[in-house]
Amino acid sequence: MPGITPFRRPRYAGRLLTTVLAAGALTFGATAHSAPAPAADSDRARPAAAATSPFTGLPAEPAPVLAVKVDNHRGARPHTGLDRADIVVVEQVEGGLGRLIGLYASDVPDAVGPVRSARDYNVEQLRMFDRPALAYSGAAEGVEEVIRNSPLYALSHDTFPAAYYRDAEGEAPHNLYVRPADVLAEAPGASLSDDIGLRFADEAPEDGVPTTTAGVEYPAFRADFTWSAEEERWLASFDGTPAETADGGRLGGRTVVIQEVEMRPSDVNPATPYIETVGEGSATVLRDGRAYETTWQRPEATSGTAFVRPDGERMRFDRGQVWIVYKEA
């Protein structure tokens, strides 16, 4: 496969910027390949167009980036505010359970949750956004120190309780919610939304595999995505049940990335997987009812992630919410 020039985030003067699934099975309902499309544009990194979100490809001004660690236990569903995230990440935690991260810049809801704890690998993972704010509810012994000593604006429930509240109708610990505006107010130097390596286009390549469903399974959790031609997006299900918002809407994204990564025991907390997001590996990109095989490349923690097709060209995502699901390689 032709190589590409490693993507690195640009730096700008005058700004306060210094900067899932164990043994998971991936399945598709698919038919044969269609005819290959003409070669795409050059793979050279380009800055995002003016007033366009580098996370969704939709119109949006640059804005501070907030990452929220979201509970995905059965008792934590349905979720609040997750449908308004630019990017949703699905990750594996201890016990083979699944957890989520909502990444916000274009559209910040009044509340997000339920909120749960962070992991040490989140520091390396989130450095591709430079220095975002991170909202979470505590961490294991030793992990909190790693996070607090990192460049992230770490604003947990323990250290900044004024930004959080508990829903009296819910059951602890699955009833903690965060007010994003309050967290961002305490992170005045949080990095603005910027190029993290994603590329977008209105039209999908023609050579993907027609696909109706795709799923990834952890030991104690499963995420499935079903193509809806009517809604023109992939509808999410968790543990065989439609994933919904607190107001009855359905969760899902225009583009879903199933990214194969190495998962090893954390050096700080060996009971928890450390998800390696720096390096390279295989990734399946779902868009417009098709699956595309790509390679992901991220040379260092402060780099973005490039998704590269077999011909060496960058994969173009559909415009809208992106889901990234980690699967053990």
Side-chain angles (χ1 to χ4, degrees), residues 77-96:
R77 306 168 193 161
H79 296 98
T80 295
L82 202 59
D83 55 322
R84 291 170 61 180
D86 289 339
I87 301 171
V88 179
V89 177
V90 181
E91 62 182 19
Q92 183 183 190
V93 294
E94 60 277 358

Side-chain angles (χ1 to χ4, degrees), residues 172-245:
H174 313 299
N175 65 344
L176 182 67
Y177 296 81
V178 66
R179 300 180 183 90
D182 291 349
V183 171
L184 290 171
E186 292 297 312
S191 50
L192 303 183
S193 48
D194 205 345
D195 193 346
I196 60 167
L198 307 184
R199 297 293 178 265
F200 298 88
D202 293 330
E203 298 298 325
E206 297 178 358
D207 59 338
V209 179
T211 299
T212 56
T213 62
V216 180
E217 188 171 7
Y218 299 165
F221 169 74
R222 182 175 179 86
D224 290 292
F225 299 89
T226 301
W227 173 247
S228 170
E230 180 180 359
E231 297 190 27
E232 297 183 327
R233 64 186 183 125
W234 298 88
L235 303 181
S237 295
F238 298 145
D239 297 318
T241 301
E244 296 181 341
T245 63

